Amino acid sequence: MLSHKVLSLASLIGLSLALPKARSPKLDPNPVPGESPLFATYTGKPTPIPANWTRVIPATASGTAGPDDLLFQNLLSAEWIIYSFYQQGVEAFTPSSFSDLGYPNSTYDRIAEIRDNEAGHIRIFQDEISSTSLKPGPCNYSFGFDNDPETFLALQVYIEVNSMAFLTGLVRESNTIDTSSALVAVAEVETRHNVWSLIDIWDVSPFAGPADTVYPYANQILALTNSFVVSGSCPSENPEYPYPNQNLPEIGFVTNTTTGHPGSKIQLEFSNDPGFTEGGDYYAVFFHGVLNISVPFDIKTNETVIPGEFDKGAGIIALAVADEAGAPTEDSVLAGPLLLLQQPEKLTLLEP
C-alpha cells in the first residue's frame, strides 16, 4: 500500500516538510494551462502557480452545484498533494543532486517539468469547479524524502502509480462526457510521467500489458494519500477529503514471506479490525488490467495467494478484502486497497 511503503522509507531518514517558495513577480500573473510554458517547461524553483490560486477559493454564486463539482473537489485536494511533492523536490534538489549519482543529466529538469504539469492540473481542476462550489486550498504535506534524491525517486513511482489508479476509478463517477474526457487526458499525462521514470531512472520496460489496472472505487485510493497530510494543517473551509470516506482499514503485508508477485503466497496485516465474523465468507479480490480474480481469504491466518494468471512484471496489482466475490460494490470492500507495484520489481517489497 502506498502509505505504508512511503512511511517505511520515511522511517529510515526522518520526515520532511517544506512550504513552497514565494512566486517570482516576474512570472506571468495569469498563465493558462496549455498556453503557458509555466505549466510545461519552466524549471525555476518558485511555484509557477499565481498566489491568488494557492488558497481556498470560496463560491462566488448561489445555486445548485455543478454535476461534477464533488468529483473535482476530491481531485483538486489530491492534486495539491501530488503537486506539492514535486514542488518540494524542485526546491530541495539541484541538477547535480541526481547527475552525481549517475542518473541522466536531464533528471532535475524532468522533475521540474512534471511539477509544471501538476501545477497545470491544479488550475484545470479549479476551473472545472463551478462558481457555486468552494475550491479547496492546499494543506501542509510531509513526504519523508528528507533531501535524499534516491528516496524521492522511489516515492515518485508510487505517487504516479497512485494517481493513475484513482483516475481510472474516477472516470466511472463522472456525470458528463466533458469530465470523462478531461480525466482521460490527465491520466495520459500521468502515464507519461511514469514512463519517463521507468525508462530513465529504473532502466526497465515501461510497458504494463494491454491495459493498466482499473480499480473501481477511487475514493478508497484517495483515502490512502491522507498519510501525506500534516494533521490539522488544512484550511478550515476545506471539505472532508475524500468525500465520502469509508475510513477502511489499510492493508500491509509480511514482506519476508512473499515476493509480492503473481503466484506468491501473501500474508496481510490490517491497520485496524476489518470486522470479520467467524464462519463468514471473505475474499481477497485482486485487480489487474481490466479484470479481477477473487481468492478465498483465510481470516485465521490472513493468508492468500496472488493469482498466477496475472502478467508478471507489469503495472500494478490492487488488492481489496471483501465479503463478496469480485467486490461488486463499494460497501462490499472491508479493507484496502493495497497497491502492489510490479515494475520496477525492486520496489515491490518496500513495506514496513
Side-chain angles (χ1 to χ4, degrees):
M1 178 182 50
L2 177 66
S3 58
H4 281 186
K5 287 170 178 159
V6 167
L7 290 176
S8 69
L9 291 168
S11 67
L12 297 176
I13 56 176
L15 294 176
S16 66
L17 173 62
L19 299 176
K21 288 186 179 296
R23 190 176 192 270
S24 169
K26 297 180 181 180
L27 299 180
D28 183 350
N30 192 32
V32 176
E35 300 177 8
S36 170
L38 287 175
F39 297 135
T41 58
Y42 164 65
T43 58
K45 287 186 179 293
T47 176
I49 306 174
N52 57 317
W53 294 104
T54 57
R55 58 182 177 84
V56 174
I57 301 173
T60 57
S62 58
T64 304
D68 284 320
D69 279 359
L70 176 58
L71 181 153
F72 280 111
Q73 285 178 326
N74 279 332
L75 191 50
L76 177 56
S77 292
E79 188 59 59
W80 278 121
I81 298 172
I82 299 168
Y83 154 76
S84 296
F85 170 74
Y86 286 106
Q87 179 63 37
Q88 289 187 23
V90 168
E91 293 181 15
F93 304 121
T94 65
S96 63
S97 301
F98 301 100
S99 60
D100 286 353
L101 296 175
Y103 294 109
N105 292 335
S106 59
T107 300
Y108 180 85
D109 285 353
R110 296 294 89 80
I111 290 169
E113 290 163 0
I114 294 174
R115 180 273 315 267
D116 300 344
N117 292 172
E118 305 298 355
H121 293 167
I122 284 175
R123 289 294 299 111
I124 290 170
F125 301 153
Q126 288 172 327
D127 286 347
E128 291 292 336
I129 298 171
S130 72
S131 60
T132 56
S133 294
L134 175 145
K135 307 177 197 297
C139 310
N140 293 336
Y141 307 103
S142 181
F143 298 101
F145 59 84
D146 199 31
N147 296 337
D148 182 273
E150 292 189 306
T151 302
F152 177 88
L153 291 172
L155 289 169
Q156 188 264 344
V157 177
Y158 287 111
I159 286 175
E160 289 299 337
V161 165
N162 182 283
S163 61
M164 290 161 58
F166 68 64
L167 284 165
T168 59
L170 278 176
V171 171
R172 300 160 62 96
E173 299 178 11
S174 65
N175 292 305
T176 71
I177 294 175
D178 285 346
T179 294
S180 296
S181 296
L183 293 176
V184 171
V186 169
E188 289 175 340
V189 171
E190 301 297 351
T191 299
R192 291 173 188 243
H193 298 165
N194 198 42
V195 165
W196 162 76
S197 177
L198 292 174
I199 293 174
D200 268 17
I201 303 303
W202 299 100
D203 193 27
V204 298
S205 170
F207 303 130
D212 272 311
T213 296
V214 176
Y215 186 78
Y217 311 122
N219 281 16
Q220 294 176 2
I221 295 180
L222 291 177
L224 301 179
T225 66
N226 271 318
S227 64
F228 297 124
V229 180
V230 176
S231 179
S233 70
C234 295
S236 59
E237 304 94 331
N238 272 13
E240 178 186 355
Y241 168 75
Y243 184 83
N245 186 354
Q246 295 169 272
N247 294 300
L248 295 174
E250 298 181 2
I251 302 177
F253 63 96
V254 180
T255 59
N256 61 2
T257 61
T258 184
T259 65
H261 300 145
S264 176
K265 181 184 291 186
I266 187 168
Q267 184 177 25
L268 305 185
E269 299 174 317
F270 301 98
S271 61
N272 50 64
D273 183 11
F276 297 137
T277 301
E278 188 71 29
D281 293 327
Y282 301 101
Y283 302 88
V285 186
F286 295 87
F287 297 81
H288 182 66
V290 298
L291 303 176
N292 69 72
I293 296 176
S294 295
V295 179
F297 184 68
D298 186 343
I299 63 173
K300 293 182 179 179
T301 64
N302 286 346
E303 290 182 346
T304 187
V305 176
I306 302 169
E309 297 94 323
F310 289 152
D311 296 326
K312 293 177 173 59
I316 64 168
I317 296 171
L319 162 61
V321 174
D323 58 11
E324 295 183 66
T329 66
E330 199 170 41
D331 289 338
S332 70
V333 177
L334 304 180
L338 167 67
L339 302 182
L340 291 167
L341 187 64
Q342 301 299 296
Q343 61 185 137
E345 293 184 5
K346 65 177 64 177
L347 296 183
T348 301
L349 296 182
L350 283 181
E351 281 278 339

